Amino acid sequence: MTPLSPTTGSTRTADDYLAFCDGLFKLCAIDLAQYKRGQMERRIRSFARRKGSDDLVDYLGVLKVNNDELEDFLDRMTINVSQLWRNPEQWTVIGGKILPELAEGNRAVSAWSAGCSYGAEAYTLAAMCKEHIPGSRATIKGTDIDKRMIERGRRGHFSADDARSAPQALLKKYFDTVDDGIQAKRELVSMCSFEVGDLLRMRVPAGRLDLVLCRNTVIYFTDDVRNALHTRLAEALRPGGYLVIGSTERVQDPREMGLTPTQPFVYRKS
Ligand SMILES: C[S@@+](CC[C@H](N)C(=O)[O-])C[C@H]1O[C@@H](n2cnc3c(N)ncnc32)[C@H](O)[C@@H]1O
């Protein structure tokens, strides 16, 4: 990380953001230096201001002593927006083409939802596996930096709003309607596992995975960090495996990573 100036006097106002990043890293091991400064700083400053702090070092002091405030802040910062069958056009490709190819000959399919938030992506993939490759064993690991999201993911419970883009027939087949929303059926829950992990630091076994979904997660990273992460995700794939990214994202230099684009948001490992 960038060396930081002491957090007192004029230096403090000169770059209280850097001092805040350093303090937050010590407090909860989240390294904001890896994220694009512009939008992250704007988001943090407006959040701190709404909480009554114009100075980020003062706000850091609040986070250090008030756990509820820290939770609130992390909620805001990590932006956990997700939904079932998010970007339906991607799921059409995943279900119609990618999964059948990966499972040819009843091969087991091992997938990773990297930056899974509260699990909507992982359970959507589980339902698509049941629907499109019913004869194959499929396992899906979801990881996220936010432990509260991982706890939610393990429950497999979603709001009605989470299902707004979901195909009704599949929703009915693989989820139960419960009083306060919808619940993934046991057969999906048993396919999914969830773990807290920082994508920028976690160890990733090379050459083993069939499918990696990393959608709507790298948009906050600096370009260098994003490229390094895409390289590691590509390394995690077996030859013939697929990387799926968000609809508005791109892999900067796919061939360098041994990836061939097959759709604007899909890359196949050579
Ligand atoms: C917008 S959500 C995307 C969820 C899902 N992939 C989707 O497309 O619906 C982004 C997620 O990335 C997670 N995230 C951000 N930085 C991360 C990091 N360094 N390591 C792991 N997860 C991270 C956030 O906590 C958040 O849950």
Side-chain angles (χ1 to χ4, degrees), residues 18-31:
L18 287 185
F20 181 84
C21 294
D22 189 44
L24 191 76
F25 185 69
K26 288 179 182 138
L27 187 62
C28 58
I30 291 181
D31 188 0

Side-chain angles (χ1 to χ4, degrees), residues 79-264:
I79 310 219
N80 307 115
V81 175
S82 193
Q83 65 180 94
L84 295 161
W85 276 272
R86 184 178 192 178
N87 299 118
E89 73 288 355
Q90 293 202 340
W91 291 105
T92 304
V93 175
I94 293 169
K97 182 180 178 307
I98 296 178
L99 291 177
E101 184 183 318
L102 291 174
E104 240 163 59
N106 279 351
R107 219 179 160 276
V109 172
S110 177
W112 179 19
S113 169
C116 64
S117 188
Y118 52 93
E121 184 174 86
Y123 287 102
T124 303
L125 181 59
M128 293 301 271
C129 288
K130 282 281 171 208
E131 188 67 14
H132 291 274
I133 50 168
S136 296
R137 201 177 110 75
T139 49
I140 298 138
K141 163 77 68 80
T143 65
D144 200 278
I145 198 168
D146 189 335
K147 79 170 191 314
R148 292 147 317 148
M149 291 303 116
I150 290 301
E151 281 157 13
R152 277 181 64 187
R154 288 184 180 129
R155 291 201 291 275
H157 179 274
F158 299 94
S159 68
D161 193 51
D162 283 325
R164 61 192 181 279
S165 305
Q168 286 308 306
L170 297 185
L171 198 62
K172 218 167 148 203
K173 194 163 167 188
Y174 297 109
F175 293 79
D176 292 320
T177 303
V178 289
D179 280 349
D180 52 350
I182 52 172
Q183 171 64 45
K185 286 193 195 275
R186 195 186 294 263
E187 58 182 324
L188 299 195
V189 176
S190 69
M191 295 163 70
C192 297
S193 63
F194 293 91
E195 223 173 78
V196 179
D198 182 344
L199 281 174
L200 307 180
R201 290 192 286 161
M202 60 196 290
R203 276 171 48 85
V204 184
R208 295 242 286 271
L209 290 172
D210 300 288
L211 175 61
V212 175
L213 306 184
C214 187
R215 307 184 311 150
N216 312 302
T217 294
V218 301
I219 43 174
Y220 312 113
F221 297 151
T222 64
D223 290 353
D224 286 349
V225 169
R226 180 202 62 202
N227 295 342
L229 176 61
H230 280 155
T231 302
R232 293 178 65 220
L233 298 180
E235 282 166 7
L237 289 169
R238 65 151 170 96
Y242 284 93
L243 170 65
V244 178
I245 61 172
S247 294
T248 59
E249 299 163 359
R250 71 187 189 99
V251 173
Q252 188 163 330
D253 202 349
R255 284 175 214 283
E256 275 285 299
M257 303 175 194
L259 296 173
T260 306
T262 65
Q263 304 266 335

